[in-house]
Amino acid sequence: MSYIKPAEFVQTMIDAGENKVFMSTRDTVLRGIMAGAILAVAVVVAITAAVQTGLPIVGALVFPVGFVVLNLMGFDLLTAVFALAPLALFDKRKGVTKAGVLRNWLLVGLGNLIGAVSVAFLITLTFTMNFSVEPGAVGQAFIKASTARSLGFAEHGMDGWITAFVKGILCNWFVCLGVVGAMVSKSVSGKTLAMWFPIFIFFALVFEHAVVNMFLFPIGMMLGAEFTIMDWLTWNQLPVTLGNIIGGLVFTGMALYVTHAKTKPARNLV
């Protein structure tokens, strides 16, 4: 499992960010749709495993399979481009602008939302026998989780909002380490291992991921959870997305860029 050193893979990160900024609208949205859809299925696998075993840690262990698949297929998550696209701007790549970075974020986010909500509808259909019966144990787990992570935060007011925001920061710190993990090896096995561990950490610690939540809350509402779209957006999606931007861009993207792409000269100890 060949290892690529930080000075090299950080250049790959910058190149990837540049490519994403200039990608066509069609490809950007399509890759976002597929990433949102695959991640949504991975959430279902994880919750199913947790319910069947009674051990949430088992769900966290299996969840990264979706992240690995979508990355190996070259699809894009909003949380990943939060870290990658701005690096091309910081590196002053020709033609890269703030507007181009924001365009990439918006198109990838739109694609993720379409993919996640589409899978939410299809999974709800299978859980309810085409909306004719009540959801079983896994469906009830989605109702409970989505309610706790919207109205649960709302009960605490600004303290809840700040908690969701900080969970978003911590989440995308590790998610983007998983994104970078795909760049630290040339072998599929090496990429898989490097991606698996950071994603396991974020899911096991129940941090908040903007794209996961694009699936969690719609499926919760479709299954009968009693909160509104505004509850979802105000008490989760907004603070979590802002936190994800900071976690991915500052804690991972900028941290690696500053120390490996813009390395200070070695100290002269003579």
Side-chain angles (χ1 to χ4, degrees), residues 2 16 21 25 38 52 73 86 104 109 138 142 151 158 182-183 220 235 237 248 253 260 267 270:
S2 58
V21 169
T25 298
I38 292 170
Q52 289 177 342
M73 296 300 104
N104 175 255
V138 177
F142 276 111
L151 299 183
M158 184 54 65
M183 304 176 186
W235 297 104
Q237 199 68 43
H260 291 302
R267 290 179 61 193
V270 178

Side-chain angles (χ1 to χ4, degrees), residues 25-247:
T25 298
R26 184 203 68 177
D27 290 344
T28 304
V29 174
L30 179 58
R31 294 181 191 189
I33 290 172
M34 296 309 301
I38 292 170
L39 198 70
V41 172
V43 175
V44 179
V45 173
I47 298 301
T48 300
V51 170
Q52 289 177 342
T53 63
L55 299 170
I57 196 69
V58 175
L61 284 168
V62 301
F63 172 74
V65 66
F67 185 85
V68 169
V69 170
L70 71 89
N71 269 280
L72 292 178
M73 296 300 104
F75 299 140
D76 287 329
L77 289 173
L78 178 61
T79 44
V81 297
F82 280 159
L84 297 178
L87 296 186
L89 182 65
F90 299 147
D91 205 53
K92 299 181 180 179
R93 295 293 176 93
K94 186 177 180 180
V96 177
T97 64
K98 292 178 183 178
V101 171
L102 290 174
R103 168 188 171 276
N104 175 255
W105 286 4
L106 290 171
L107 291 177
V108 172
L110 174 63
N112 288 168
L113 180 63
I114 294 170
V117 173
S118 297
V119 170
F121 174 79
L122 296 174
I123 294 296
T124 300
L125 187 152
T126 67
F127 280 176
T128 61
M129 196 65 70
N130 195 24
F131 301 93
S132 65
V133 300
E134 291 296 312
V138 177
Q140 293 299 326
F142 276 111
I143 293 173
K144 181 179 178 180
S146 58
T147 301
R149 291 159 77 169
S150 55
L151 299 183
F153 287 136
E155 288 178 6
H156 297 277
M158 184 54 65
D159 291 335
W161 197 96
I162 292 172
T163 298
F165 171 70
V166 173
K167 284 192 169 206
I169 293 174
L170 295 170
C171 169
N172 213 27
W173 175 16
F174 284 92
V175 169
C176 287
L177 286 176
V179 173
V180 176
M183 304 176 186
V184 306
S185 174
K186 293 183 179 180
S187 70
V188 173
S189 58
K191 289 175 180 288
T192 298
L193 284 173
M195 286 188 276
W196 204 282
F197 293 113
I199 303 306
F200 160 73
I201 289 171
F202 114 71
F203 204 88
L205 294 178
V206 198
F207 293 151
E208 295 287 339
H209 188 273
V211 183
V212 167
N213 293 347
M214 290 177 186
F215 169 73
L216 176 63
F217 292 95
I219 194 173
M221 287 186 285
M222 291 178 195
L223 290 169
E226 296 182 355
F227 58 84
T228 67
I229 292 176
M230 285 306 298
D231 290 329
W232 159 32
L233 297 178
T234 302
W235 297 104
N236 189 286
Q237 199 68 43
L238 176 59
V240 167
T241 301
L242 293 174
N244 284 173
I245 292 172
I246 294 173

Side-chain angles (χ1 to χ4, degrees), residues 249-268:
L249 178 55
V250 177
F251 283 41
T252 301
M254 284 299 297
L256 287 167
Y257 177 80
V258 168
T259 191
H260 291 302
K262 300 295 180 181
T263 306
K264 287 286 187 180
R267 290 179 61 193
N268 184 358

